[in-house]
């Protein structure tokens, strides 16, 4: 036989044997796998051990034990889960993000004094698109840091808000604030509403993480005719409404004097309960109000820190939940909080419910956590997208570290999440499958540039309100 032919055949035979022995990787390729020592899906109170979630194109495609996920999927990136709780990202149901720049300018005041003598005048003087861009980015930084992945923002210059949210990577319901007085971006109610509708039409389906809605400030800053005009617009353009509701004794009194009924009853009469409604605060009311809200599936947003600080009262969340109202949690703005740490709101909500009712079983830990996740998502109309870890939902997830000694000993993860954790325990924040923070490093915001931008606005605010020393 030709020796060259023999060598060729031998080589071919060896190659064929080698190919036969190579393993075939039939695993599905995905963008991201996130592992967890403890997995809390928020579909039940069960905490599963040694789990993983596979994510592709921003969607959760599988939830299983870590070995099963590894056998079925290969990922471009894997985030380990040792000493980590993996759970849905938090939902902040009510805030005014850009007011982070007003953190601490007007403390220890009741709501109406704070609002009319300090905040409204400061906003007219200070708030422009540059203020909104910097303030919203500052708020986004803090929310990413604390594991908030979705939020409802009611403020001004909504295009600037939306772009800041797009850039930082979070998900937001952007609610242009409509009020029957001059505001930073409008001279009057008509202009304010027209601009809000225009924004909604331009941003509807423009970006998957931006949901436009309408913002009615309150029943005491908007008259009856204007309220009717606004709800008609919401129906015409198929938009949800966010509104401050029954926040203070003043609001209850003035609504009773002007309309002979509670704010919730007035909103029902005007048709607000017939549209998707996000009712912020709901501190005051009665059983009839809770039944009205439950019948119409109104989402209520409890803001315990802000309501306490402004001496507005404590929302009766236990009674509302018993009546069937879906209740979420919010931080409100940092001008009245003074931070955006939703873990504080989770803990306060549970403790206040126990203390006010003098019943230790009121709002137990898991139920409080639901208010910031699954129930919070339902309250703002996002239950089909976020709030729980389920196949088909958007991949908005967070990891919380449990290896710090402040978590030791760890017997029950849910207990520690509610009664121990704060924003600094979050180590990973993911929205739509994109990692916004890993190992506590925020990846989507230039912290150095943001610090410079905040300092520039700080000096301007100091000059107006006379707060603080001239130098740090």
């Amino acid at each position: 036989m030709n020796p060259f032919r023999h060598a060729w055949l031998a080589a071919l035979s060896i190659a064929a044997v080698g190919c036969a022995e190579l393993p075939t990787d039939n695993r599905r390729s995905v963008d991201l796998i996130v592992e967890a020592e403890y997995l809390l899906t928020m579909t039940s109170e069960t905490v599963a051990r040694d789990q993983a979630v596979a994510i592709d194109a921003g969607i959760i495609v599988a939830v299983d034990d870590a070995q099963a996920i590894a056998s079925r999927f290969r990922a471009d990136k894997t985030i380990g889960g040792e000493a980590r709780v993996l759970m849905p990202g938090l939902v902040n149901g009510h805030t005014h993000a850009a007011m982070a720049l007003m953190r601490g300018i007007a403390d220890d005041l009741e709501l109406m004094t704070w609002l009319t003598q300090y905040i409204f005048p400061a906003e007219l003087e200070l708030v422009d698109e540059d203020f909104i861009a910097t303030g919203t980015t500052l708020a986004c930084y803090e929310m990413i840091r604390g594991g908030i992945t979705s939020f409802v923002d009611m403020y001004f210059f909504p295009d600037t808000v939306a772009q800041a949210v797009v850039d930082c990577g979070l998900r937001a319901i952007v609610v242009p604030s409509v009020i029957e007085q001059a505001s930073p971006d409008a001279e009057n109610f008509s202009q304010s509403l027209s601009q809000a509708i225009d924004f909604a039409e331009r941003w509807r389906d423009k970006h998957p993480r931006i949901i436009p809605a309408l913002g009615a400030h309150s029943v005491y800053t908007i008259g009856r005719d204007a309220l009717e005009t606004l709800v008609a617009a919401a129906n015409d353009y198929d938009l949800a409404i966010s509104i401050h509701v029954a926040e203070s004794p003043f609001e209850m009194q003035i609504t009773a004097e002007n309309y002979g009924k509670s704010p919730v009853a007035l909103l029902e009469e005007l048709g607000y309960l017939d549209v998707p409604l996000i009712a912020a605060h709901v501190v005051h009311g009665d059983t009839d109000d809770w039944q009205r809200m439950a019948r119409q599936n109104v989402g209520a947003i409890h803001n315990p820190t802000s309501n306490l600080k402004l001496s507005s009262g404590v929302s009766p969340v236990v009674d509302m939940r018993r009546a069937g109202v879906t209740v979420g949690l919010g931080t409100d703005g940092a001008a009245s909080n003074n931070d955006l740490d939703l873990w504080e709101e989770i803990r306060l909500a549970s403790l206040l419910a126990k203390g006010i009712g003098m019943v230790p079983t009121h709002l137990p830990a898991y139920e409080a956590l639901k208010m910031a996740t699954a129930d919070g998502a339902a309250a703002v109309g996002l239950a089909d997208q976020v709030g729980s870890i389920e196949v088909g939902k958007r991949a908005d997830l967070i990891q919380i570290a449990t290896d710090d000694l402040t978590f030791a000993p760890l017997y029950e993860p849910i207990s520690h999440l509610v009664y121990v954790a704060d924003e600094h325990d979050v180590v990973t924040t993911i929205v739509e499958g994109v990692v916004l923070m890993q190992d506590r490093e925020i990846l989507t915001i230039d912290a150095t540039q943001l610090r410079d931008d905040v300092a520039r606005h700080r000096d301007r605010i100091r000059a107006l309100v006379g707060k603080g020393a001239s130098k740090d």
Side-chain angles (χ1 to χ4, degrees), residues 32-70:
L32 179 65
I33 291 174
V34 187
E35 298 174 341
E37 184 168 342
Y38 307 96
L39 177 68
L40 183 59
T41 65
M42 298 309 300
T43 60
S44 76
E45 201 167 345
T46 301
V47 179
R49 297 293 300 271
D50 301 323
Q51 301 287 296
V53 175
I55 298 163
D56 199 43
I59 302 292
I60 297 169
V61 296
V63 183
D64 208 335
D65 68 75
Q67 288 186 344
I69 292 292

Side-chain angles (χ1 to χ4, degrees), residues 78-110:
T78 297
I79 298 176
E82 183 179 357
R84 301 289 183 262
V85 175
L86 180 62
M87 62 177 287
L90 306 183
V91 179
N92 185 354
H94 178 67
T95 192
H96 313 282
M99 293 184 84
L101 285 175
M102 296 183 180
R103 194 192 316 264
I105 70 166
D107 294 325
D108 306 321
L109 299 163
E110 61 86 26

Side-chain angles (χ1 to χ4, degrees), residues 6 25 104 148 208 329 379 384:
H6 183 271
D25 190 348
I148 292 169
L329 284 173
D384 61 333

Side-chain angles (χ1 to χ4, degrees), residues 129-166:
E129 289 182 83
D130 185 39
F131 181 102
I132 295 293
T134 299
T136 303
T137 303
L138 178 61
C140 287
Y141 186 96
E142 185 174 357
M143 286 191 277
I144 292 170
R145 181 69 192 82
I148 292 169
T149 54
S150 300
F151 68 101
V152 179
D153 184 62
M154 179 193 287
Y155 216 48
F156 308 105
F157 296 102
D159 286 280
T160 306
V161 172
Q163 191 58 57
V165 175
V166 168

Side-chain angles (χ1 to χ4, degrees), residues 422-458:
D422 64 27
E423 63 182 3
H424 299 291
D425 295 307
V426 180
V427 290
T428 306
T429 301
I430 299 165
V431 175
E432 199 90 355
V434 176
V435 181
L436 308 186
M437 180 177 73
Q438 186 171 0
D439 297 327
R440 295 188 172 93
E441 179 185 357
I442 295 176
L443 306 174
T444 56
I445 296 173
D446 183 336
T448 300
Q449 181 61 57
L450 177 58
R451 192 179 299 277
D452 291 343
D453 291 341
V454 170
R456 176 167 46 84
H457 286 282
R458 175 203 61 202

Side-chain angles (χ1 to χ4, degrees), residues 384-408:
D384 61 333
Q385 299 184 52
V386 300
S388 59
I389 298 179
E390 300 178 76
V391 172
K393 284 198 171 183
R394 314 309 295 184
D396 291 11
L397 314 173
I398 58 175
Q399 285 182 322
I400 297 91
T402 64
D403 47 4
D404 190 270
L405 279 172
T406 58
F407 267 68

